[in-house]
Amino acid sequence: MSSGPTSQPSPDPSTELQELPDSFDAESIWPSELVVPSAEVVVPGAFQLPPGSTSTSISPVSNQLPPNGRSEGAGPHVDFDVTTARTPQTYQSLDSVIGRDQAVYVLSLFFDFVYPLTPCLHQPTFLSDLARKKDESEPIFLALVLSVLASALVQIPRTLLPIFGEVSPLDMAGRCWRASRSISNGLYDAPSLELVTVRYLDGVYHSLCGNVGLQTASLGEAVYLGVWLGLHDESTYAGLDPITTEIRRRLFSLMFSSDKSIACLKDRPIFLNEEDCTAQRSLDIDDEYIAETAYLEQPAGLTPKISGFNFSTRLHEVIGQALVLQRSVRKQNQLSPQDLLSYLRRTSDLSQKLSDMTNELPPELRIEETRDGGETLLDNDGWGRNMLAQLETYLRNINSSPHTLSDNSFLVMKGNIHVTHALARFLLICCREEILKQSGPPGGAVRTAAERVISYSYGISDQREQVIVDLHRVLRQIPTQSLAVNGPSLVNKIRYVAVTLLDPPFSQEALSERVQGGHTYLMDFLQILSELDRNPTAS
């Protein structure tokens, strides 16, 4: 099988669109009773291409912004007529921006690869609306589809994507985002759940493109619009239908988790404080069993695909609680014995909570246990370099197996969950060390008592070395195909642990040989993830 031919499409997209892979099943995307829309549909009043041109090769025009007029960190540069992005009326259908069949195929990849990480849509409803061309009548739905495409095009490995003529997937993603932004800019007078989703996906797109300022602005808009709509407040959910309820909960969980990740990895303030957020987590029910009028019963023995996402949300709740505890400790000059015991007890409770959560994981999301995970640190010095070679081979030859991950979507969440779990454990260890540091100088009575409490209360699983051992074991069991989707998230979280481990507090003596092995491994693996981070799509 292949993901698509390498030949260029003919100049007329209405007669010869990009050929889709043999493995592409239209019936899996479009409801069986509906007919796949034709790309030959002409929408009255919509943006029309000049004769002989294609939707993927629009030429630059003289009034586009000069290179030195673009702010640093802006989105990817896309050569298309900026005069068509001035009003929402410019784009009146999906065909105005990207070939419909190409868009449908990219969306099929989105639901196979990316959706387990960002389940912010109700898949059956979304695909049904797309099949009946809702994008031609409702601007907000068109903006939503375009933002989904933009975020998907920069997350899905580039060799899985169809050919867009002379336009790279990155530039096509930029075109979709700019069109979505143009449309949605006129929709602030009536903020909606779809607009919040659009802004969140815009933040994902800018994050993967390295546009830090635009990422921050987009996520900030999403959070404040979401709060304005009451996504954080459980009382606003009364009377809503099941589909709307679950999408609201999932979208809030995405913003809540992003808030905690940024606060931890970037040392930023927490904006969505847990005590102010009463919204419940989404249910462990897949989209197929959520109807507009009722929740259907998830079949017995069938693990919901959404369960991995919900578990990740719970992990970020612990990370948020640990951050609040750690920052509270930092504000103290020196802890009293009573405060010391209170903080240590809270840290111990969170550690136990993490341990209990791990035991609740369904089999599909668990990592295989080994008798001695530590032996892998010193016995595989070249493993990181070998994995880098495997990853590069995969990125070059992925066409031979275009839907590897669709056989088991749980693999997509596996890396996210276990790396986030390792981050939470490590954060609690750092929190415990902060408490110890605030208990007075070494040798003092309070410090000695604190050290004895820690020695008595915590086992080997709560040591820095063991986090590295477990993280190594987790990453060895994640297929490189899964890393190609999880890349940016894994990179940031692993880098946080690795960089901190290079300078552990309270270690005046040389590091042990075992920890040094862990450092060597982590730096090798960071090289892998950095390579992945640089190559999500074609430039």
Side-chain angles (χ1 to χ4, degrees):
M1 295 184 296
S2 82
S3 64
T6 56
S7 61
Q8 297 295 325
S10 63
D12 186 358
S14 66
T15 59
E16 190 175 344
L17 287 172
Q18 164 66 26
E19 182 180 349
L20 300 178
D22 295 337
S23 60
F24 173 67
D25 180 8
E27 292 184 359
S28 66
I29 305 302
W30 304 97
S32 57
E33 67 272 12
L34 297 175
V35 178
V36 178
S38 170
E40 299 178 353
V41 176
V42 177
V43 183
F47 171 72
Q48 301 296 323
L49 298 175
S53 64
T54 71
S55 62
T56 57
S57 59
I58 302 176
S59 300
V61 293
S62 59
N63 61 347
Q64 70 184 47
L65 293 176
N68 60 2
R70 300 177 67 244
S71 60
E72 185 176 356
H77 179 59
V78 181
D79 289 333
F80 74 106
D81 191 341
V82 296
T83 62
T84 66
R86 289 178 178 171
T87 65
Q89 290 74 26
T90 299
Y91 305 100
Q92 294 188 8
S93 75
L94 187 60
D95 306 274
S96 305
V97 184
I98 181 175
R100 187 172 292 269
D101 285 358
Q102 293 174 324
V104 170
Y105 179 63
V106 173
L107 290 172
S108 75
L109 295 176
F110 170 82
F111 285 110
D112 279 346
F113 287 78
V114 183
Y115 190 67
L117 299 171
T118 54
C120 54
L121 307 168
H122 184 251
Q123 183 176 355
T125 301
F126 179 82
L127 294 178
S128 176
D129 289 343
L130 185 64
R132 62 185 180 88
K133 296 187 177 181
K134 187 178 179 180
D135 54 284
E136 296 179 358
S137 59
E138 296 192 18
I140 185 58
F141 183 75
L142 175 56
L144 177 61
V145 174
L146 291 170
S147 286
V148 172
L149 289 170
S151 64
L153 285 168
V154 293
Q155 272 185 286
I156 297 168
R158 66 185 182 274
T159 47
L160 282 178
L161 297 170
I163 298 172
F164 301 101
E166 298 178 357
V167 179
S168 70
L170 185 62
D171 284 344
M172 180 57 72
R175 176 178 298 175
C176 290
W177 169 73
R178 292 174 191 275
S180 174
R181 185 77 197 192
S182 171
I183 296 166
S184 58
N185 276 344
L187 304 175
Y188 283 104
D189 289 341
S192 63
L193 186 61
E194 291 82 1
L195 183 58
V196 180
T197 307
V198 166
R199 287 295 171 261
Y200 180 82
L201 291 173
D202 289 349
V204 173
Y205 162 75
H206 289 303
S207 172
L208 292 162
C209 291
N211 304 327
V212 179
L214 290 171
Q215 173 201 2
T216 303
S218 297
L219 290 179
E221 283 189 53
V223 169
Y224 277 93
L225 286 171
V227 170
W228 188 88
L229 291 174
L231 300 189
H232 67 296
D233 184 0
E234 183 63 28
S235 66
T236 65
Y237 288 74
L240 298 178
D241 64 84
I243 292 177
T244 303
T245 296
E246 293 308 305
I247 295 304
R248 282 169 61 98
R249 295 197 194 286
R250 294 178 189 178
L251 186 55
F252 176 72
S253 293
L254 283 169
M255 295 187 295
F256 182 89
S257 298
S258 297
D259 180 49
K260 303 305 171 291
S261 291
I262 294 172
C264 177
L265 300 175
K266 304 295 185 181
D267 196 24
R268 304 283 171 78
I270 294 175
F271 292 103
L272 295 173
N273 293 302
E274 189 170 351
E275 58 268 23
D276 298 326
C277 302
T278 58
Q280 300 177 12
R281 288 188 293 269
S282 59
L283 299 178
D284 277 348
I285 302 178
D286 285 329
D287 287 357
E288 301 91 314
Y289 309 103
I290 304 174
E292 188 173 358
T293 57
Y295 292 98
L296 307 180
E297 184 177 355
Q298 182 93 11
L302 179 64
T303 302
K305 295 178 182 178
I306 193 69
S307 60
F309 171 78
N310 288 335
F311 191 89
S312 177
T313 301
R314 294 171 61 191
L315 288 175
H316 284 95
E317 289 175 1
V318 174
I319 288 175
Q321 293 165 6
L323 284 173
V324 171
L325 180 61
Q326 183 184 52
R327 292 171 181 182
S328 176
V329 171
R330 287 177 179 174
K331 294 178 182 178
Q332 308 291 329
N333 292 326
Q334 184 170 341
L335 298 177
S336 66
Q338 293 80 9
D339 291 338
L340 176 69
L341 291 176
S342 176
Y343 282 128
L344 287 176
R345 186 179 299 110
R346 290 165 62 186
T347 305
S348 178
D349 290 344
L350 290 176
S351 296
Q352 186 60 50
K353 185 176 182 179
L354 280 179
S355 178
D356 293 341
M357 288 170 59
T358 304
N359 296 331
E360 299 171 9
L361 271 176
E364 293 87 347
L365 294 172
R366 291 185 180 180
I367 293 294
E368 181 182 353
E369 295 292 337
T370 58
R371 292 184 178 180
D372 184 9
E375 63 185 6
T376 59
L377 279 178
L378 300 179
D379 295 344
N380 297 276
D381 292 336
W383 180 80
R385 289 180 291 276
N386 292 336
M387 284 295 292
L388 178 58
Q390 291 180 35
L391 181 60
E392 291 174 340
T393 300
Y394 163 71
L395 290 173
R396 287 194 303 268
N397 303 318
I398 197 169
N399 283 333
S400 62
S401 182
H403 277 230
T404 305
L405 287 183
S406 62
D407 297 334
N408 186 2
S409 62
F410 292 106
L411 287 175
V412 178
M413 284 303 302
K414 217 172 189 180
N416 183 287
I417 285 173
H418 289 279
V419 171
T420 302
H421 185 268
L423 174 65
R425 288 173 57 196
F426 186 78
L427 180 61
L428 285 172
I429 291 172
C430 293
C431 185
R432 189 180 69 207
E433 291 171 346
E434 290 273 0
I435 296 172
L436 191 63
K437 183 178 179 181
Q438 299 288 60
S439 64
V446 176
R447 177 68 172 265
T448 301
E451 291 171 348
R452 290 180 179 177
V453 170
I454 291 174
S455 176
Y456 177 79
S457 303
Y458 297 92
I460 188 174
S461 63
D462 296 294
Q463 303 299 322
R464 288 171 174 260
E465 295 173 339
Q466 191 61 38
V467 173
I468 289 298
V469 170
D470 293 342
L471 186 58
H472 177 268
R473 176 165 51 86
V474 163
L475 296 175
R476 288 203 66 178
Q477 294 188 34
I478 299 173
T480 51
Q481 296 94 326
S482 299
L483 296 178
V485 180
N486 276 287
S489 175
L490 293 178
V491 166
N492 291 332
K493 292 175 181 178
I494 295 175
R495 182 182 291 122
Y496 178 89
V497 177
V499 170
T500 310
L501 280 171
L502 293 177
D503 186 24
F506 320 121
S507 293
Q508 302 301 325
E509 67 279 358
L511 295 174
S512 67
E513 182 181 0
R514 187 181 185 190
V515 177
Q516 289 175 350
H519 292 163
T520 301
Y521 158 72
L522 276 176
M523 297 312 296
D524 283 344
F525 207 87
L526 281 174
Q527 182 183 6
I528 298 172
L529 296 179
S530 296
E531 178 71 17
L532 177 64
D533 199 24
R534 290 192 298 269
N535 292 280
T537 60
S539 57

